[in-house]
Amino acid sequence: MTLTLFFVGFVFIIKGADLLVTGASSIAARFNIPDIVVGLTIVSFGTSMPELSVSVLASVEGHTDLAIGNVLGSNIANVLLVLGVAAMIAPLPVRSSTLLSEIPFSLTAALLVGFLANASLFSLTTELTISRLDGVFLLLFLVLFIAYVFKIAKDGQVTEFGAGAPIGPAARSVGLPRSIAHVALGVVGLYLGGDWIVAGALDIASRLGFSQSLIALTIVALGTSLPELVTSAVAAYRGN
């Protein structure tokens, strides 16, 4: 039963993320929040909800190898698998801003995690760990990146966001009660799916004698990267 729920969990978190994005985008549209802001926040973060759900639940339950492995494995899958599949579908022109800012920012983020994991600067113990203060430090860098994205959007360097996402007239056509229901169902789906995936991953690791980090780096990471894979593949097919 645990293994069955493990695979069902992926369906729940992917559909949950989709419902959350749909509902939140519709609510934002009703309050006349610009589409560009919705795309930069709700849509972009929505595809990362599966990873967030699984890693947070794993961390709360004390399965740190699963939490870290999922994050690192998903990042590897996003760059190599998702970008590779998208590039095979259609050539991907690269903006100069991507070369000068976004790729270096991505590399810095990865190196920062490695540095914090190996330096006990903000920890009272000598054990290698990513502490709560380290987490705050990472979130501050996220805020800097969001500020950068809003800056280039304001300067007109970014023109399109979230291809195929329910933003604009289509989002406004969804009633408010239905939008709220979508958000609620999305949150529930993310929680249940994340919980089942964590339990299933632990069961698989126990049955096969593998480490939690190995299962997280492979099966869990690939599963939680499906929203990015589908979104990027469709966007590449549409030429966006």
Side-chain angles (χ1 to χ4, degrees):
M1 187 63 180
T2 302
L3 293 178
T4 301
L5 290 177
F6 173 72
F7 293 104
V8 172
F10 287 115
V11 177
F12 268 64
I13 60 172
I14 292 170
K15 187 59 180 177
D18 180 58
L19 287 172
L20 180 62
V21 168
T22 301
S25 299
S26 179
I27 293 172
R30 281 188 167 273
F31 288 96
N32 294 319
I33 297 176
D35 287 351
I36 190 172
V37 176
V38 178
L40 285 167
T41 54
I42 298 172
V43 175
S44 61
F45 284 98
T47 56
S48 294
M49 285 296 104
E51 287 92 341
L52 179 63
S53 175
V54 170
S55 292
V56 168
L57 287 171
S59 178
V60 169
E61 295 176 9
H63 307 298
T64 55
D65 285 349
L66 185 57
I68 295 176
N70 177 44
V71 172
L72 299 181
S74 294
N75 285 342
I76 294 171
N78 285 341
V79 174
L80 302 183
L81 173 64
V82 177
L83 197 60
V85 170
M88 289 183 65
I89 295 174
L92 306 175
V94 180
R95 298 171 181 265
S96 59
S97 63
T98 300
L99 287 174
L100 297 175
S101 301
E102 290 146 26
I103 291 178
F105 210 112
S106 297
L107 293 173
T108 301
L111 292 173
L112 180 61
V113 173
F115 172 76
L116 293 177
N118 285 277
S120 302
L121 297 179
F122 306 107
S123 177
L124 298 177
T125 66
T126 57
E127 181 183 6
L128 296 182
T129 180
I130 298 178
S131 66
R132 289 185 174 89
L133 286 176
D134 291 338
V136 173
F137 197 54
L138 291 172
L139 290 175
L140 288 176
F141 266 80
L142 174 63
V143 172
L144 290 177
F145 177 72
I146 294 174
Y148 159 74
V149 173
F150 271 92
K151 180 181 181 301
I152 63 173
K154 184 178 179 180
D155 293 342
Q157 298 179 39
V158 180
T159 56
E160 295 186 34
F161 299 90
I167 300 176
R172 293 182 178 88
S173 64
V174 180
L176 183 59
R178 186 177 178 182
S179 299
I180 296 174
H182 280 172
V183 172
L185 289 173
V187 172
V188 172
L190 286 168
Y191 175 78
L192 291 177
D195 188 47
W196 292 341
I197 289 174
V198 170
L202 295 174
D203 189 32
I204 292 175
S206 176
R207 288 172 181 265
L208 300 181
F210 294 152
S211 65
Q212 295 178 21
S213 58
L214 177 61
I215 299 300
L217 282 166
T218 53
I219 302 174
V220 177
L222 290 174
T224 55
S225 294
L226 287 177
E228 287 92 340
L229 177 61
V230 173
T231 300
S232 297
V234 171
Y237 178 76
R238 293 178 178 176
N240 187 7

